[in-house]
Each structure stands twice: as C-alpha cells, then as structure tokens.
Amino acid sequence: MPSTPMTAEPLLSVRGLGVRFRLPQAEVTAVDGVDFDLARGEVLGIVGESGSGKSQILFALMGLLAANGGASGEARFGGRNLVGLAEGELDRVRGSDISIVFQDPMTALNPFMRIGDQLAEGLIVHRGATRRSAWAEAVAMLDRVGIPDPAARARAYPHQFSGGMRQRVMIAMALLMRPAILLADEPTTALDVTIQAQVLDLIAELARDSGTAVILVTHDLGVVARACDRVMVLYGGQVMEAADVDTLFAEPRHPYTQGLLAAMPRLGGETAPRLGTIPGSPGSDAAPGCPFAPRCDRRLPRCTVERPALVDRPPRRIACHLEAADAAS
Amino acid sequence: MLRFIGRRVWDGGLTLAALVTLTFFVMRLAPGGPFSKSRKISPEILANIQKTYHLDEPVWMQFGRYVKGLVTFDLGPSTRFRDYTVGDMISAGLPWSVTIGIWAIIVATLIGVALGVAGAMRRNSAADYVAGIVGVVGVAVPIFVIGPLLQSVFALRLGWVPVGGIGAGWRALVLPILVLALPNVAYISRLTRSSMIETLRENYVRTARAKGVGAARMVRRHVLKGTLLPVIAYLGPATAAIITGSILIETIFALPGIGRHFVDAALNRDYPLVMGITLLYGALLIVLNIATDLIRAWIDPRLRNGR
Ligand SMILES: Nc1ncnc2c1ncn2[C@@H]1O[C@H](COP(=O)(O)OP(=O)(O)OP(=O)(O)O)[C@@H](O)[C@H]1O
Ligand SMILES: [Mg+2]
C-alpha cells in the first residue's frame, strides 16, 4: 500500500524531467523539461504522436531506460527521487508501489515461464507470499481481466495466448500488486474496441477503489475522454499544454492541441478517434525554438529562436508564445 | 511431449538406416578390396579368404548378412587384426575416447558458460578480457601446437603429468582433456556472451526488471534459459565431434582411443572396422541430436508441439 498519506501533497511530483540518448555520433533529447504532479486516485493521460517521448517518460520513472539512455531532473515519490535511484532501491519500488503495463504485449512476457508463475512472482518477491497463495491470487486476477477459464490458462505459456489476451495478462500482472501508481503505456492498443472499453473501465474502477493513480499513455483521444481526469499533450519531448480533460477538449489553446482536436473525427463517435495527421513530423531537437514551430500555422518570428516556457494559465498550463502575445495585447 | 519424443526417435532411426545402407554400398563400390593389393596371394588362398569373409557372395547377400549382424550387435571380425572382432576393437577403444570427450565437454561447458555470463554481465571487465583472450587463443592456435606446448611445460619441465600413454591413471588424461576442451571453451564462452547480451535486451527481461525481482533472480529465472538455448544446440553436435574427432589428441598423447583405429582401418581397407566405427559415429550423432532436441524442448515450451 502507498506510504504517502492522503494530503494535498501529490503522490508523485515530477520536475524538469529529461531523457537523453547517446548515439555513436550524437546525443538526442527524447524528453525535455517535463513537469507534472499526480494525485492519489487520479488518472493522467499523456497524448502525443509517435516518437514524442511518452514511453520514455514512463521508463525514466521506473529506471528502465535503454543502456544508452540517461534521465535527469526530479521525480519525487514517497520521499525519494526516483531519478538516479540505485537499482537495489528501485527494486523495492518497482512492481510493488509502481507497476507498468508495456506497450508491446507480444514480447513483454517471458516465453519460458507459465503465465501463473509470471503473475505470482511479484507477490512472492515483494509480499513474501507462498507460491500457492500467490498463484491463487493470480488466477483470481486473470478472471477479473476477463481471461476465460483462468485456472487452466494460468498453467499455459505466453505463446498459447493471443495478443489481446497477453495484454490482459500484462494488465493483470500490474493490477495484482495493487500499486500506488499504475503506468499504462497504450494498454488498449492491442485490444478490439469492446474489450478496450472493458479494460479501461477496469483500470478506472481500480483507480477509484484502491486509490491507485494512473498515468495512461495513448494515441487515442477517445481513450482520454473516456478514462482520464487530466491530460498532458506532448510534442517533441516537451509539454505543449496540460489541463483537465473538460477544459482541454472544450477550449484547447495551443495550436498543436487545436490541430489534434480538429483532426479528431467526432467526440463520442463509434470509431475510436486516433490522433489525426498534422502535416510534418517532430522537428530535430537541435533547433532552439518551440519544437512545434516548423509545423505551426500561427508561428511568430520568435517561435523558431526562443523556446516558450511552460507557464501556469489556470485552468491550464501551456508553453506557447502566442499566450504571452495575447496577454500583452 | 510423448508424441514429440516418439517423432524424434523415429526420425533418428530412419536416418540411421539410411546411414547403414549408404556406408555399406559406398564401401563396396569403392575400387579395391582388403586383400587385393597387399601381397601376392595364390588364387586358392584368396578364394578361401574371400569365402571366410563372404566376399564371394553377391552384394545384396552381403548386405543382408551385414544388417543381420548389426541387429545382433555382431559386426564380424576385423580383416586387418584377424584375432579381434570389430566389437572387440570398438569396446577397447571407445571408453577412452568417450571418457576424454565427455570430460572435455563438461570442462568446456562449465568454464565457457561462466566466462560468457561474466563477460555479458560486466562488459569490458577483467573477466570479459580473459574470455576474449581465451577465445582468440582457443580458436586460432591448433591442437597440434597447443598439445606439445602443454606437454613440454607440464610434463617435461614440471613433471606434474605424464607426456602420454595410459600408465599414470587419471593424470594421463588431464592434458588431453584440457587440450580437447580449449577450442570449445573459446567457442562456448563467445556463444554464451553474445546470447546473453541479446537476451538481456529482450522485452521480457525489461518486464522482470519492472517487477523489481532483483538482479540475481532476474538472471536465474528470466535470462538463463534464453541464454542457454543456443549453447545447448551447439553442445549436442560438439559432443559427437569431440568424441569422434579426437584422432589428433590420441596421436599426440598416445592414447588407445577409437580415432586411431578408424584411421588405421581406413588406410587398410578394413571394411568391417570402418563400417563399424562409421555407424558408431552416426548413431552417436543421432542420439546426441535427439537428446539436444529434448533438452531444448524441455526448456522452451514453444518447441514442444512442433514438427
Ligand atoms: N535506445 C534509444 N536510443 C536512441 N533514441 C531512442 C532510444 N529509445 C528511444 N529513442 C528515441 O526517443 C524518442 C521518444 O521515444 P518514445 O518511445 O518515448 O516515443 P513514444 O511517444 O512512446 O512513441 P510511440 O507512440 O511510437 O510509442 C524517439 O524519437 C526515439 O527514437
Ligand atoms: Mg511508446
């Protein structure tokens, strides 16, 4: 159970989070100056197109960056800074207080291990459970995420499961630990639409019941509308705009957010709306200005030379020079 | 699983049958016979000898006789060493070859896997460099160089072990086993290292880290199996090769193993002995391949339903 008492103090407080990768010739910045807070029981959505750094934010929090990557900044959780925490210390937090559902369910499970053992492992390692009792809990959780005949399926191996089933196993594995924070990286991408809704509801239910806070990474604004309380829009590794879901959908202020919403077919439509295509692609991080400037149709001269700061404009936070221009006029 | 085993054994049997047929006819179709060119023998004696060895019968009858002998484990007399049967010669030589072969593989696997794992876990550490050096030496320096080198140091200079022969019990086998193991230490350590580095990059290993299982449990429960699969695939054929391919070692260290008989037999057109040893090698390879497949299937559930 989370050690943080229920106060105004956020469960997780992230400041100036950065992720950089060393490449043979150069260094690339995948995440730059990301700030956010996460309260108990809250569901925070992170949206942004492919390559915008969504997954790397989650990996940085878990100490799971690739060997050529490094994180900077601060992520306060339970009195510790998760960034730069030693592996041994991290292992006490990972899988116990914070769990993660990975993006790719096909390769995230160990092919040599029974599903039940993979689920039970966390309980055995962190809670000192016996294999027997852990296995029983694992079967119960498989049942909850909608795996038919869970007692038999727990004895099976990952290759005997479809992609959607594996994703549910991953979700069961994460939920089983009743973590304080659940990091879910596109948890519903591999699922068909009806199951998607079920799984999202399950995650939301868990957040409500056990006070688990969720960071939900997605391409899908429909998922955001359905499951999230707040949402953070990412572009080129930087936060463009962040607000509660209602504000963001009703009154998007950042040109990128506006573009996203405009490209979205229709709220509440039957087909799951995906992030629409906005012309261009995330710019190179060597450029000094706003990462979105090259694709922005309301670009000011300073946008390409000066990076806009992320400022508080209640009820939102936004990083855009237009805000300052509007305020001045 | 049972069906899988049955299938593998059946396939192995078929391969062996094909091998029996092939070796028999290749031997008979090759020009010259065991007695054709040695000394001048009078026609009567030649006919007599040929009768003794049934060389006067039509080939298909010889084949039938041969298969019948095989089934009853009677491989007939050696044509070169007339007082011995092929069975005698194999059972005299095989234990030596198997003993040094098995020990060499065990030594090579233990050292190779340990070096490989250490290298993969601590890349560019001292262990990694040692493994690298062993790797280069083991592969690049041939047995007939390393063997005499070790003999001159450990046998002649230090006198810890005999130069060769079998007079000194287990001591006599230390050097041959080490020399035989060395190239395999090299290969197995490199194989283990690269396989483990690859496995450490797998998404499911990241999942294990995300579960906070700790480094020791992660390696034991999540990394080792994936790492060892290719190593095990290599060990089956390598064991067969090491047992059958120890001719050079047996010569350098004057061991009465089966490899030397094989060369003698081939040079002397000793049909029964050549065929006996060929079949032995073939059977060994088949059995070891089946064993390898079974162990791999035991480790990897994805291999169980297959083929
Ligand atoms: N090991 C690495 N070395 C170099 N660059 C990397 C590495 N891993 C990720 N990146 C880069 O970091 C950036 C952000 O990647 P990230 O995986 O966070 O994207 P994402 O927003 O999750 O995208 P997607 O929606 O496709 O999952 C990408 O441009 C990617 O190329
Ligand atoms: Mg991603």
Side-chain angles (χ1 to χ4, degrees):
Chain A
M1 282 289 105
S3 49
T4 323
M6 201 167 151
T7 57
E9 176 137 322
L11 187 59
L12 175 72
S13 174
V14 174
R15 290 295 174 268
L17 183 69
V19 174
R20 291 172 71 79
F21 291 100
R22 281 180 312 280
L23 295 176
Q25 266 89 35
E27 274 207 13
V28 293
T29 303
V31 175
D32 193 3
V34 166
D35 299 345
F36 65 90
D37 287 337
L38 187 68
R40 257 190 75 129
E42 179 181 40
V43 182
L44 169 68
I46 301 182
V47 293
E49 60 197 68
S50 200
S52 57
K54 304 182 299 291
S55 299
Q56 303 310 323
I57 291 178
L58 305 189
F59 293 169
L61 296 177
M62 292 285 265
L64 293 175
L65 291 175
N68 65 334
S72 57
E74 225 187 40
R76 293 250 146 233
F77 172 77
R80 277 167 294 204
N81 180 8
L82 296 176
V83 176
L85 204 59
E87 280 283 304
E89 286 280 307
L90 268 175
D91 278 336
R92 247 175 282 162
V93 176
R94 291 193 286 216
S96 170
D97 296 325
I98 309 181
S99 331
I100 184 166
V101 175
F102 289 105
Q103 192 167 1
D104 180 8
M106 295 311 282
T107 56
L109 289 165
N110 187 334
F112 309 117
M113 220 184 203
R114 291 183 200 280
I115 295 291
D117 279 324
Q118 300 194 47
L119 267 84
E121 189 170 30
L123 293 170
I124 293 170
V125 170
H126 293 291
R127 310 271 194 269
T130 61
R131 180 165 184 261
R132 232 184 126 84
S133 73
W135 186 281
E137 277 194 60
V139 170
M141 187 52 83
L142 285 177
D143 192 29
R144 257 191 99 183
V145 297
I147 304 269
D149 195 8
R153 298 301 275 160
R155 296 188 50 76
Y157 290 93
H159 72 277
Q160 295 163 310
F161 282 65
S162 69
M165 286 291 174
R166 287 186 218 190
Q167 187 65 295
R168 287 196 236 184
V169 168
M170 289 301 297
I171 291 167
M173 194 189 283
L175 297 188
L176 192 57
M177 301 305 295
R178 311 214 169 277
I181 303 176
L182 172 68
L183 308 177
D185 197 351
E186 315 242 5
T188 56
T189 313
L191 307 178
D192 62 55
V193 183
T194 45
I195 311 286
Q196 264 188 28
Q198 271 178 35
V199 166
L200 286 176
D201 292 346
L202 179 71
I203 291 174
E205 185 188 319
L206 191 96
R208 249 198 333 273
D209 294 354
S210 50
T212 296
V214 182
I215 300 181
L216 185 63
V217 164
T218 180
H219 277 105
D220 189 336
L221 288 170
V223 167
V224 172
R226 182 178 186 106
C228 297
D229 303 314
R230 280 194 306 136
V231 58
M232 189 160 87
V233 179
L234 216 62
Y235 189 89
Q238 299 174 23
V239 179
M240 297 289 102
E241 185 169 7
D244 62 277
V245 169
D246 293 340
T247 303
L248 192 100
F249 277 85
E251 274 181 81
R253 302 258 328 164
H254 196 288
Y256 178 57
T257 318
Q258 289 168 352
L260 279 185
L261 289 170
M264 187 177 155
R266 181 163 49 92
L267 243 186
E270 276 308 302
T271 52
R274 303 218 99 223
L275 285 195
T277 39
I278 295 174
S281 65
S284 92
D285 52 70
C290 170
F292 186 60
R295 289 166 67 185
C296 184
D297 52 6
R298 290 161 62 202
R299 181 176 55 233
L300 303 172
R302 63 193 289 209
C303 290
T304 50
V305 289
E306 187 189 332
R307 179 177 161 184
L310 183 65
V311 292
D312 252 317
R313 289 279 183 279
R316 65 173 58 74
R317 289 182 302 144
I318 186 165
C320 183
H321 288 310
L322 290 170
E323 280 300 307
D326 288 357
S329 65
Chain B
M1 192 68 190
L2 266 175
R3 249 188 71 193
F4 173 77
I5 297 175
R7 183 72 204 251
R8 299 296 298 125
V9 171
W10 170 250
D11 284 353
L14 283 184
T15 315
L16 194 58
L19 183 69
V20 169
T21 316
L22 208 67
T23 43
F24 181 87
F25 285 102
V26 166
M27 284 299 288
R28 293 305 141 119
L29 294 178
F35 311 108
S36 55
K37 65 166 183 177
S38 43
R39 281 150 285 153
K40 288 202 173 55
I41 314 172
S42 67
E44 301 86 60
I45 295 178
L46 186 62
N48 223 337
I49 292 174
Q50 292 209 326
K51 200 167 167 59
T52 313
Y53 292 103
H54 306 287
L55 292 174
D56 53 344
E57 291 175 358
V59 170
W60 63 268
M61 272 182 71
Q62 293 183 34
F63 183 60
R65 192 180 293 283
Y66 186 69
V67 171
K68 195 172 141 210
L70 271 185
V71 174
T72 55
F73 289 103
D74 175 11
L75 297 162
S78 160
T79 55
R80 165 92 172 141
F81 307 98
R82 311 219 177 135
D83 295 338
Y84 299 96
T85 64
V86 171
D88 289 340
M89 304 208 42
I90 287 179
S91 52
L94 190 62
W96 291 103
S97 301
V98 167
T99 305
I100 61 170
I102 298 277
W103 277 108
I105 273 292
I106 291 174
V107 168
T109 306
L110 292 179
I111 299 178
V113 168
L115 282 178
V117 168
M121 299 239 293
R122 300 219 161 72
R123 280 200 253 172
N124 304 321
S125 67
D128 200 12
Y129 285 121
V130 170
I133 292 167
V134 172
V136 171
V137 171
V139 169
V141 183
I143 279 180
F144 57 78
V145 172
I146 207 94
L149 200 73
L150 292 184
Q151 278 174 327
S152 71
V153 175
F154 292 102
L156 298 178
R157 189 155 307 206
L158 298 171
W160 292 352
V161 290
V163 178
I166 53 172
W170 64 269
R171 278 167 190 280
L173 301 183
V174 173
L175 282 189
I177 287 170
L178 283 183
V179 174
L180 206 49
L182 187 64
N184 285 286
V185 171
Y187 192 81
I188 291 171
S189 72
R190 286 190 307 174
L191 189 62
T192 305
R193 181 181 189 273
S194 64
S195 168
M196 181 149 171
I197 286 172
E198 208 170 294
T199 307
L200 284 170
R201 275 202 278 265
E202 293 281 355
N203 278 346
Y204 66 80
V205 172
R206 187 182 62 190
T207 304
R209 281 179 72 201
K211 268 194 275 187
V213 298
R217 188 183 173 103
M218 188 185 79
V219 170
R220 213 162 10 92
R221 310 248 332 191
H222 294 276
V223 177
L224 220 46
K225 282 186 174 177
T227 298
L228 289 183
L229 272 183
V231 178
I232 288 161
Y234 168 74
L235 282 182
T239 307
I242 223 171
I243 290 174
T244 59
S246 50
I247 300 166
L248 215 51
I249 294 283
E250 287 166 14
T251 309
I252 294 171
F253 292 98
L255 297 174
I258 205 164
R260 294 173 72 195
H261 289 325
F262 191 38
V263 177
D264 282 350
L267 292 177
N268 291 301
R269 295 182 180 284
D270 188 341
Y271 287 169
L273 190 53
V274 168
M275 296 205 355
I277 296 177
T278 306
L279 289 181
L280 180 75
Y281 285 0
L284 196 67
L285 194 61
I286 288 164
V287 168
L288 285 169
N289 271 329
I290 292 175
T292 304
D293 282 358
L294 291 184
I295 294 174
R296 276 160 48 81
W298 175 60
I299 290 180
D300 189 346
R302 289 170 298 185
L303 301 175
R304 279 176 212 166
N305 329 309
R307 299 168 302 152

